[in-house]
């Protein structure tokens, strides 16, 4: 059943991408080992730091939501995208740089950093127990990276209405919003990004009433009042290293860590998706593939646009 559902969603997504210039097998002739190199690099880094997979997946999301999926998040500089407030906690750059060095040794000047990041995000999901899927390739790298362009990134403080607007601006739906939020089934966050929910929600001096008592007690223990807020907390309690549907089950039970996650239950369309995915993990795995395919095709540069960077952290 899972493979049937997944196959149908992939076909549908591929049909939606048909007018684009990215395609599966883009490097088959010019750099046939690219996917194997990226996969082995991601696996190597995750073997020493399992949480780095979530960082790589988040990198891809942050890249696509600014100037499109053009690798601009990878560029160094005091005023580059990665210096924006919304991007200061990003991790996983070393994984992409490592893969790029190996690929340049095998196929110099052929594979874009944007494509490496798209592949690495897929492999981070797969290595965490999620679904593997074919990634259309052929993106080129952007030459512009500006922190000011990242000012409208989706935020954990955004309401669902604002998040829906930001996703819609990128051609994504409420279904995509709820589905891609499921990426929080792996990884961690800092207490400082949600501690207000534990002690002073909306300046009431009380906790967020939407949080379950068991979740509140656990998080208050991990994030003491008055602490600096740098402690790491699992986004998916009890399952932070496994790409599964327990994140959605937690939301249904008032166990969301970030406010933006728990608020999905306040929106009718998002709540339907959360409920369905919480009941049927197979549906989530397949749906995540379809939403990732749509997201990774946002405003891509192809053909003669952009460039193929020699190093991912700097334009040529």
């Amino acid at each position: 059943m899972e493979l049937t559902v997944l196959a149908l969603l992939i076909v549908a997504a591929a049909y939606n991408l048909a007018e684009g210039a990215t395609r599966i097998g883009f490097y088959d002739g010019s750099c046939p080992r690219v996917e194997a190199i990226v996969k082995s690099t991601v696996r190597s880094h995750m073997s020493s730091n399992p949480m780095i997979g979530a960082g790589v997946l988040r990198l891809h999301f942050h890249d696509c939501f600014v100037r499109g999926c053009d690798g601009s998040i990878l560029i160094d500089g005091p005023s580059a995208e990665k210096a924006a407030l919304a991007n200061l906690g990003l991790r996983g750059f070393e994984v992409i740089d490592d893969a790029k060095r190996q690929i340049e040794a095998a196929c110099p000047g052929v594979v874009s950093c944007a494509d490496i990041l798209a592949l690495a995000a897929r492999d981070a999901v797969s290595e965490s127990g999620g679904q593997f899927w074919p990634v259309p390739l052929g993106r080129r790298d952007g030459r512009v990276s500006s922190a000011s362009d990242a000012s409208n990134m989706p935020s954990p403080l955004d309401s669902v209405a604002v998040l829906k607007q930001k996703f819609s601006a990128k051609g994504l739906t409420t279904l995509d919003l709820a589905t891609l939020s499921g990426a929080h089934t792996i990884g961690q966050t800092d207490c400082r990004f949600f501690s207000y929910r534990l002690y002073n929600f909306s300046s009431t001096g009380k906790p967020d009433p939407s949080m379950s008592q068991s979740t509140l007690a656990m998080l208050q223990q991990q994030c003491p009042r008055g602490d600096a807020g740098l402690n790491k907390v699992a986004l998916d309690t009890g399952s932070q290293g496994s790409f599964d549907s327990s994140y959605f089950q937690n939301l249904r039970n008032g166990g969301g860590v970030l406010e933006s996650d728990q608020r999905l239950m306040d929106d009718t369309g998002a709540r339907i998706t959360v409920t369905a995915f919480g009941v049927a993990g197979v549906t989530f795995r397949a749906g995540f593939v379809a939403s990732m395919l749509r997201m990774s095709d946002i405003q891509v540069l192809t053909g003669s646009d952009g460039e193929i960077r020699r190093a991912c952290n700097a334009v040529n």
Side-chain angles (χ1 to χ4, degrees), residues 91-247:
R91 301 181 302 134
F93 296 100
E94 69 276 16
V95 180
I96 310 305
D97 290 338
D98 186 4
K100 177 63 170 176
R101 282 191 293 269
Q102 297 179 58
I103 291 169
E104 283 297 298
C107 321
V110 173
V111 181
S112 70
C113 299
D115 274 345
I116 293 172
L117 182 52
L119 288 170
R122 184 271 311 274
D123 292 334
V125 171
S126 177
E127 291 296 311
S128 299
Q131 187 67 50
F132 181 91
W133 67 91
V135 177
L137 301 171
R139 300 165 191 79
R140 288 172 65 83
D141 296 320
R143 297 189 179 99
V144 177
S145 182
S146 173
S148 61
D149 289 338
S151 60
N152 202 38
M153 275 291 301
S155 163
L157 302 179
D158 286 340
S159 66
V160 176
V162 170
L163 288 171
K164 288 168 69 172
Q165 291 172 356
K166 291 180 177 180
F167 271 65
S168 178
K170 298 299 181 181
L172 301 176
T173 66
T174 302
L175 174 61
D176 293 316
L177 165 61
T179 304
L180 292 172
S181 294
H184 289 165
T185 186
I186 55 174
Q188 302 169 317
T189 189
D190 292 354
C191 291
R192 55 182 168 165
F193 295 122
F194 64 88
S195 59
Y196 66 92
R197 298 186 67 207
L198 309 180
Y199 303 106
N200 190 26
F201 182 68
S202 296
S203 301
T204 62
K206 299 178 181 179
D208 185 341
S210 69
M211 185 177 290
S212 71
Q213 288 300 306
S214 59
T215 299
L216 175 63
M218 177 191 66
L219 293 179
Q220 285 181 333
Q221 185 174 24
Q222 294 176 294
C223 307
R225 186 193 295 268
D227 189 73
L230 300 181
N231 291 345
K232 300 291 185 183
V233 173
L235 285 165
D236 185 0
T237 304
S239 183
Q240 63 179 344
S242 178
F243 201 92
D244 54 31
S245 63
S246 63
Y247 161 84

